[in-house]
Amino acid sequence: MVRLVQKEETLDPADWNAMRALGHRMIDEIMTYLQEAREHPVFQQIPEEISTKLNEPLPVEPQGAEKACEDFLNNVLRVYQTMNIHPRFWGWVIGTGTPMGMLADMLASGMNHNVEAAYTVPYQIEMKVLDWLKDMLAYPKDACGLLVSGASMANLIGLTVARNTMAKFDMRQEGLQKIQRKMTLYGSEEMHSCIQKSVEMLGLGNEALRRIPVNADYEIDIEKLENEIRKDKDSGYQPFCVVGNAGTVNTGAFDDLDAVAEICARENLWFHVDGAFGAWVALSPDLSHLASGMKKADSLAFDLHKWMYMPYGVGCVLVKRREDQLRTFSLVPEYLRHDEKAPVWFSDYGIELSRGFRALKVWMSIKEHGVKKYGRLIQQNVDQAHYLARLVDRTPMLERTAPVCSNIVCFRYVPSRLDEHSLKELNEKIMYQLAFSGAAVVSSTVIRGKYTLRVAIVNHRTTREDLDFLIREVTRLGSAWGKAR
Amino acid sequence: MVRLVQKEETLDPADWNAMRALGHRMIDEIMTYLQEAREHPVFQQIPEEISTKLNEPLPVEPQGAEKACEDFLNNVLRVYQTMNIHPRFWGWVIGTGTPMGMLADMLASGMNHNVEAAYTVPYQIEMKVLDWLKDMLAYPKDACGLLVSGASMANLIGLTVARNTMAKFDMRQEGLQKIQRKMTLYGSEEMHSCIQKSVEMLGLGNEALRRIPVNADYEIDIEKLENEIRKDKDSGYQPFCVVGNAGTVNTGAFDDLDAVAEICARENLWFHVDGAFGAWVALSPDLSHLASGMKKADSLAFDLHKWMYMPYGVGCVLVKRREDQLRTFSLVPEYLRHDEKAPVWFSDYGIELSRGFRALKVWMSIKEHGVKKYGRLIQQNVDQAHYLARLVDRTPMLERTAPVCSNIVCFRYVPSRLDEHSLKELNEKIMYQLAFSGAAVVSSTVIRGKYTLRVAIVNHRTTREDLDFLIREVTRLGSAWGKAR
């Protein structure tokens, strides 16, 4: 079985200087791409020739580093779907990224540390980053936490800890298959779909997730929440958790987190907050009061790649009591055994065992800009949302469909005498035209039955002029459509 | 609420050329770091002054890009814990990374695409990469799949699809809280701990996971597996899944996947394969037969950042029938609604909604080297494992504690007249000494009661000379310890 190969091979380059030169070239290309983002269409359909080129059979023989990079430049980068790096991308809630975040990702990838074990510098940096995040969000200093790929994972981990901690039996050992008294949890109708996904994965069943109506401002109706909890208790269920929204995905609304926290304390329920993007209003001078209840959460999920503008993918879950998180996830078999007095490894706090050095971009970005500047940028996006709302309100034919609480503006083009169906058709057409013309990307949603354009601003490149342009384009497309009918 | 800020701010650099120059410098630094990996200690303890420097309070004011990079170079990179990029790192199962993988990660981070929506080039590239991976592993072409952060996630997703598909009721809606007949699943004692973690998260309970004994080669005992399934059926359980190991984490053993597949077909069970690293023996001329049963799996989980040597974090789950995966995860609320005839978005296949452009490093790496070279490299690691086994077998005082099936070698230093406790103490000391002296990193495990050093070779920089050196060091440290007593 032992082959006598003369010389072993490696995946390292034969010529390191050529690889260095290629690296310099890639730096130049991508920096120019970022610098000129504004000059390019935010979206365009993929040319058919590109799709054909991408439809390549599995490479059996080596093409070499130069060719791999050439193909990337010609068939990926130069197709110029700048998307979320563009100043006029406001679809869904998708952040912009930064040049420094990109360099940090490169350095992390080069080091290729598995940030799991203690005793390494990357471990120390992730611990430090967690401290900084707790500090920025005014979350208790002795809380525990973990960087993850994004808020979906963060919510899943938070809810796993909630389920296991609140169960009246050994959930890890026995699971839900032995349950006597069914466990239920609560959140508003406006909750993000990833909460449902988590609840389904955890085996609780979508039925266990009670969707509480919202008030006129799209905040959870506190009285209805209390009633539902009481009703469930009376019916023999075990209510165990309330999910509070810090920034709903539809309208950017904030539940009254202090009121939810009070209910949770009184009823002995786990208080989980989904703050995917909204948690960061904590840094905004005008809106930080909306996030003040977050510090009372037993667990808190949020992203860094949305409103902190860092490159994908990095989110975070914080859990107030370390032992709850450890009891849920720690699982140390013989081949991973380490000194019991040693610091806890990250794998004992979550799902991933192998973990990249996500912390580096967070660390370097916060050092680069400092917290104050992030606060100003977040406030700037909030101000821009209010600016856009004013533009909408002043423009004939435009109807604002929801209040602006943080960074999301919902509106639509409404010529007279159109029924709901035609309004949907019209505004959908406007949305696609905006994108296909390369002008702007917005997404859509339905607010109380009204099909609506939705502008979510988590973009550090957006200016007020971009929003002026958006309104001009929407009205132009809308009126052109009216004339064409 | 609308502030009249004179000029909006951005996180972009004021001076793009300075940022470009900084990028060039970082390229040079990290390329040199990789090129000289062999010259540096594989591990060293963190100097106290570095820990002190890293213990920095939250930066409120900006430090700037230059300073962020300087601090990275001085306090992170130059601390030179090369770890898994070093030719003599063989701890756990942790791949090496490559310069091209690193450049691809930089480019992906710069583009900062959220690879979720169809209609974009990054989406097309991930789809293409999935085709290539199916091709490389001889998995059915019409299977479905998803890139994820690693095998823990891939296993979790595979087992979620298994649970939901095999349930006799609407698992998503009702969950396990309503279950009548308890669901059970099976795997060998040598299964990876992430399977237990998944089972616990899914609410099945660790009790539901039956650990089947292994034979002398650490493969699942097929007869005992059949007996356990029969016994559970007779006792009123619903067996629903068997997890096959393609490469166990302790010894690199492969279950008889064909035999497991046959049982699953006969008993109507889901066949899931955990091929975290071992799936890639499919590319090895000598060992591909061990992986031949993988194509029969209903779901298959594996990593690209282990034995395909790509940077963290990228793994993959493949699911044979697309509709099973969709039925488990698809969940499209209004604000994400898209054309029903359109291609399925990646969020409908898994947990993550925001997803980075992981596919780029896979695409560029496979193009750079071609499949054949990966096959040679994987075979090279297997050959090196057999080479090391021979060295162990020839060396007095060294005892090999498990057969070598693929790329893992287990052995220990065994002077005469030592009891198990002292042997553990001695070999643990050797392991730490190897690491703290910067010579090599190996990990440890316990094989049938014997504390053992464990060398897992998923390293494209390792040469046979490195293994010669390891044996010399182990015997030197072992005999020095004997003399010192």
Side-chain angles (χ1 to χ4, degrees):
Chain A
M1 280 291 271
V2 179
R3 285 155 192 249
L4 291 171
V5 183
Q6 278 307 327
K7 176 77 181 123
E8 278 141 319
E9 285 186 286
T10 165
L11 297 179
D12 279 338
D15 180 348
W16 279 95
N17 283 333
M19 185 58 86
R20 252 185 214 94
L22 194 60
H24 287 179
R25 203 175 142 215
M26 292 304 106
I27 284 278
D28 290 340
E29 292 278 355
I30 194 76
M31 287 288 183
T32 301
Y33 176 79
L34 294 174
Q35 185 175 6
E36 296 177 352
R38 179 176 286 282
E39 319 305 321
H40 297 291
V42 52
F43 181 80
Q44 61 181 0
Q45 284 179 289
I46 306 169
E48 201 166 304
E49 58 167 297
I50 295 294
S51 291
T52 308
K53 281 185 186 162
L54 292 177
N55 193 15
E56 182 185 355
L58 174 64
V60 175
E61 301 297 335
Q63 300 177 1
E66 296 276 349
K67 172 76 162 75
C69 286
E70 280 307 324
D71 284 1
F72 166 78
L73 293 175
N74 293 326
N75 304 333
V76 183
L77 197 69
R78 289 192 192 125
V79 180
Y80 283 129
Q81 289 177 317
T82 51
M83 297 291 281
N84 46 310
I85 70 163
H86 194 283
R88 288 193 297 276
F89 185 97
W90 305 299
W92 306 282
V93 185
I94 302 190
T96 331
T98 65
M100 173 56 74
M102 176 185 75
L103 292 185
D105 270 343
M106 173 186 77
L107 298 168
S109 179
M111 293 184 72
N112 198 37
H113 256 285
N114 180 352
V115 188
E116 198 239 329
Y119 311 115
T120 68
V121 171
Y123 176 93
Q124 290 202 0
I125 287 185
E126 183 158 339
M127 292 299 283
K128 180 45 63 184
V129 160
L130 291 169
D131 284 345
W132 288 355
L133 295 174
K134 286 182 265 180
D135 200 353
M136 289 162 88
L137 297 172
Y139 200 71
K141 277 190 201 315
D142 54 353
C144 184
L146 191 70
L147 295 184
V148 293
S149 63
S152 289
M153 289 304 308
N155 279 304
L156 177 59
I157 290 176
L159 292 175
T160 309
V161 180
R163 181 196 66 178
N164 287 19
T165 305
M166 301 309 286
K168 307 283 189 195
F169 54 93
D170 184 347
M171 179 64 76
R172 291 182 64 172
Q173 194 56 25
E174 300 175 17
L176 285 155
Q177 305 206 71
K178 271 199 179 171
I179 199 156
Q180 302 289 322
R181 197 173 157 209
K182 282 181 198 158
M183 297 174 80
T184 53
L185 71 170
Y186 307 79
S188 89
E189 293 166 341
E190 295 286 307
M191 233 169 352
H192 191 276
S193 60
C194 76
I195 302 295
Q196 179 184 336
K197 221 171 232 194
S198 292
V199 166
E200 290 176 1
M201 285 196 73
L202 293 175
L204 292 158
N206 191 19
E207 284 179 1
L209 181 58
R210 315 302 201 197
R211 287 167 175 78
I212 310 298
V214 291
N215 64 22
D217 291 326
Y218 299 90
E219 300 159 3
I220 193 165
D221 184 315
I222 293 293
E223 201 182 314
K224 287 182 178 148
L225 170 64
E226 288 182 298
N227 289 343
E228 189 74 20
I229 293 168
R230 195 170 316 118
K231 207 181 74 187
D232 277 339
K233 283 195 171 174
D234 291 347
S235 310
Y237 292 98
Q238 187 210 333
F240 78 98
C241 175
V242 181
V243 177
N245 290 304
T248 61
V249 69
N250 266 332
T251 71
F254 284 71
D255 291 337
D256 182 340
L257 300 177
D258 287 304
V260 174
E262 200 184 304
I263 293 172
C264 286
R266 193 174 63 227
E267 302 284 343
N268 188 29
L269 307 177
W270 187 276
F271 179 31
H272 175 78
V273 170
D274 175 9
F277 63 96
W280 293 108
V281 301
L283 301 185
S284 138
D286 283 0
L287 299 185
S288 60
H289 64 280
L290 294 174
S292 71
M294 280 191 328
K295 61 178 168 294
K296 300 175 187 165
D298 296 298
S299 52
L300 171 61
F302 57 91
D303 272 315
L304 282 308
H305 57 216
K306 292 188 171 93
W307 223 353
M308 286 290 284
Y309 316 101
M310 296 187 193
Y312 287 112
V314 59
C316 180
V317 59
L318 297 176
V319 176
K320 192 172 266 176
R321 287 166 301 277
R322 182 173 300 262
E323 59 274 21
D324 292 341
Q325 193 165 0
L326 267 181
R327 252 188 249 118
T328 300
F329 287 109
S330 180
L331 186 159
V332 181
E334 278 303 329
Y335 60 89
L336 294 172
R337 184 71 59 194
H338 36 81
D339 183 357
E340 285 180 17
K341 282 163 294 183
V344 175
W345 290 22
F346 284 121
S347 52
D348 289 330
Y349 289 129
I351 306 167
E352 293 178 333
L353 194 54
S354 296
R355 309 173 66 249
F357 193 8
R358 297 180 181 110
L360 187 61
K361 59 185 155 197
V362 186
W363 187 73
M364 289 179 77
S365 298
I366 294 176
K367 283 170 72 72
E368 182 190 15
H369 296 298
V371 177
K372 266 195 196 163
K373 181 158 185 183
Y374 280 106
R376 290 199 305 274
L377 266 290
I378 285 161
Q379 183 65 50
Q380 176 172 296
N381 284 162
V382 170
D383 293 343
Q384 287 167 339
H386 285 282
Y387 177 83
L388 176 62
R390 284 222 310 212
L391 291 181
V392 168
D393 295 346
R394 283 176 187 167
T395 307
M397 305 290 203
L398 293 187
E399 175 195 10
R400 195 141 60 76
T401 47
V404 171
C405 169
S406 48
N407 62 332
I408 294 177
V409 184
C410 295
F411 69 102
R412 58 183 187 168
Y413 188 83
V414 186
S416 51
R417 284 178 317 224
L418 273 194
D419 60 14
E420 272 306 319
H421 178 78
S422 305
L423 280 174
K424 174 178 190 299
E425 206 181 319
L426 165 57
N427 281 279
E428 198 168 47
K429 202 177 165 79
I430 291 172
M431 179 179 71
Y432 283 122
Q433 277 289 103
L434 279 172
F436 289 151
S437 70
V441 168
V442 305
S443 48
S444 66
T445 189
V446 176
I447 306 272
R448 302 216 159 120
K450 295 178 175 181
Y451 184 91
T452 286
L453 303 178
R454 176 173 159 283
V455 174
I457 314 176
V458 282
N459 190 324
H460 66 80
R461 298 198 174 106
T462 296
T463 64
R464 287 183 302 266
E465 287 73 22
D466 292 313
L467 299 167
D468 295 339
F469 178 80
L470 172 69
I471 292 300
R472 280 201 306 276
E473 279 298 290
V474 169
T475 49
R476 187 181 67 78
L477 291 168
S479 65
W481 187 84
K483 283 170 200 148
R485 286 184 91 211
Chain B
M1 280 291 270
V2 178
R3 283 153 196 251
L4 291 171
V5 182
Q6 278 308 327
K7 176 77 181 122
E8 277 141 319
E9 285 186 287
T10 165
L11 297 179
D12 279 338
D15 180 348
W16 279 96
N17 283 333
M19 185 57 87
R20 252 184 214 93
L22 194 59
H24 287 181
R25 203 177 141 214
M26 291 304 108
I27 284 277
D28 289 340
E29 292 278 357
I30 193 76
M31 287 286 183
T32 301
Y33 175 76
L34 294 174
Q35 184 175 7
E36 295 177 352
R38 180 177 286 281
E39 319 304 320
H40 298 290
V42 53
F43 180 83
Q44 60 181 0
Q45 283 179 290
I46 306 170
E48 202 166 303
E49 59 167 294
I50 295 293
S51 291
T52 307
K53 281 184 186 163
L54 293 177
N55 194 16
E56 184 185 353
L58 175 63
V60 175
E61 301 297 337
Q63 299 177 0
E66 296 276 347
K67 172 78 160 75
C69 285
E70 280 307 326
D71 283 1
F72 166 78
L73 293 175
N74 293 327
N75 304 333
V76 183
L77 198 69
R78 290 194 190 122
V79 179
Y80 283 130
Q81 290 176 318
T82 53
M83 297 291 281
N84 44 311
I85 71 163
H86 194 282
R88 288 193 296 276
F89 184 95
W90 305 298
W92 307 280
V93 184
I94 302 188
T96 331
T98 65
M100 172 57 72
M102 175 185 77
L103 291 185
D105 269 344
M106 173 186 76
L107 297 167
S109 178
M111 292 184 71
N112 198 36
H113 256 286
N114 179 352
V115 188
E116 197 239 331
Y119 311 114
T120 68
V121 171
Y123 176 92
Q124 291 202 0
I125 287 185
E126 182 158 339
M127 291 300 282
K128 180 46 64 184
V129 160
L130 290 169
D131 284 344
W132 289 356
L133 295 175
K134 287 183 262 181
D135 200 353
M136 290 162 88
L137 296 171
Y139 200 70
K141 278 189 200 318
D142 54 353
C144 186
L146 191 70
L147 295 184
V148 293
S149 64
S152 289
M153 288 305 306
N155 279 305
L156 177 60
I157 289 176
L159 292 175
T160 310
V161 180
R163 181 196 66 177
N164 286 20
T165 306
M166 302 308 287
K168 306 286 190 193
F169 55 93
D170 184 346
M171 179 65 75
R172 290 182 64 172
Q173 195 54 27
E174 301 176 16
L176 285 156
Q177 305 206 69
K178 270 198 178 172
I179 199 157
Q180 301 292 321
R181 196 174 157 209
K182 280 180 199 159
M183 297 174 80
T184 53
L185 71 169
Y186 307 80
S188 89
E189 291 166 343
E190 294 288 304
M191 220 163 17
H192 191 275
S193 60
C194 76
I195 302 296
Q196 179 185 336
K197 220 171 231 194
S198 293
V199 166
E200 290 176 0
M201 285 196 72
L202 292 175
L204 291 158
N206 191 18
E207 283 178 1
L209 180 58
R210 315 302 200 199
R211 288 169 174 77
I212 310 297
V214 291
N215 63 21
D217 291 326
Y218 299 91
E219 301 158 2
I220 192 166
D221 185 315
I222 294 293
E223 202 182 312
K224 287 181 178 149
L225 171 63
E226 288 182 297
N227 289 344
E228 189 76 18
I229 292 169
R230 194 169 318 120
K231 206 180 75 188
D232 278 339
K233 283 194 173 175
D234 292 347
S235 311
Y237 291 99
Q238 187 209 335
F240 78 98
C241 175
V242 182
V243 178
N245 290 304
T248 60
V249 68
N250 265 332
T251 71
F254 285 70
D255 291 337
D256 183 341
L257 300 177
D258 287 301
V260 174
E262 201 184 303
I263 293 171
C264 287
R266 194 173 64 227
E267 303 282 344
N268 187 30
L269 307 177
W270 186 277
F271 178 31
H272 175 79
V273 170
D274 176 8
F277 63 96
W280 292 108
V281 301
L283 300 184
S284 137
D286 284 1
L287 298 187
S288 60
H289 64 281
L290 292 174
S292 71
M294 278 189 333
K295 60 178 169 294
K296 301 175 186 165
D298 296 299
S299 53
L300 171 61
F302 56 92
D303 273 314
L304 281 308
H305 57 217
K306 291 189 171 93
W307 223 352
M308 287 289 285
Y309 316 103
M310 295 184 193
Y312 287 111
V314 59
C316 180
V317 59
L318 297 175
V319 176
K320 192 172 266 175
R321 286 166 302 277
R322 181 173 302 261
E323 60 273 22
D324 292 341
Q325 195 167 359
L326 268 180
R327 250 188 253 119
T328 301
F329 288 108
S330 180
L331 186 158
V332 182
E334 278 304 329
Y335 60 90
L336 294 172
R337 181 75 54 197
H338 37 80
D339 185 356
E340 284 182 18
K341 285 164 293 183
V344 174
W345 290 21
F346 283 121
S347 51
D348 288 330
Y349 289 130
I351 306 167
E352 293 177 333
L353 195 53
S354 295
R355 307 171 67 248
F357 193 6
R358 297 180 180 112
L360 187 62
K361 60 185 154 196
V362 187
W363 188 72
M364 291 181 75
S365 298
I366 293 176
K367 283 169 75 68
E368 182 190 17
H369 295 298
V371 177
K372 265 194 198 165
K373 182 159 184 183
Y374 280 107
R376 290 200 305 274
L377 265 290
I378 285 161
Q379 182 65 52
Q380 176 172 297
N381 284 163
V382 171
D383 293 343
Q384 287 168 339
H386 285 283
Y387 177 83
L388 176 61
R390 282 222 311 213
L391 291 181
V392 168
D393 294 347
R394 282 177 190 166
T395 307
M397 305 291 205
L398 294 186
E399 174 195 14
R400 196 141 60 76
T401 47
V404 171
C405 169
S406 49
N407 62 332
I408 295 177
V409 183
C410 295
F411 69 100
R412 58 181 187 169
Y413 188 84
V414 186
S416 50
R417 283 178 314 225
L418 274 193
D419 60 14
E420 273 307 318
H421 177 80
S422 305
L423 280 173
K424 174 175 188 298
E425 205 181 319
L426 165 57
N427 281 279
E428 199 169 45
K429 200 177 166 84
I430 291 172
M431 179 179 71
Y432 284 121
Q433 277 289 103
L434 279 171
F436 290 151
S437 70
V441 168
V442 305
S443 48
S444 66
T445 189
V446 175
I447 306 272
R448 303 221 157 114
K450 294 178 173 178
Y451 184 91
T452 285
L453 303 178
R454 176 173 158 283
V455 174
I457 314 175
V458 283
N459 190 323
H460 66 79
R461 296 197 175 107
T462 296
T463 63
R464 288 183 301 266
E465 287 73 22
D466 291 313
L467 300 168
D468 295 339
F469 177 80
L470 171 70
I471 293 299
R472 279 201 305 275
E473 280 297 290
V474 169
T475 48
R476 187 181 67 77
L477 292 167
S479 65
W481 187 84
K483 281 171 202 147
R485 286 183 90 211

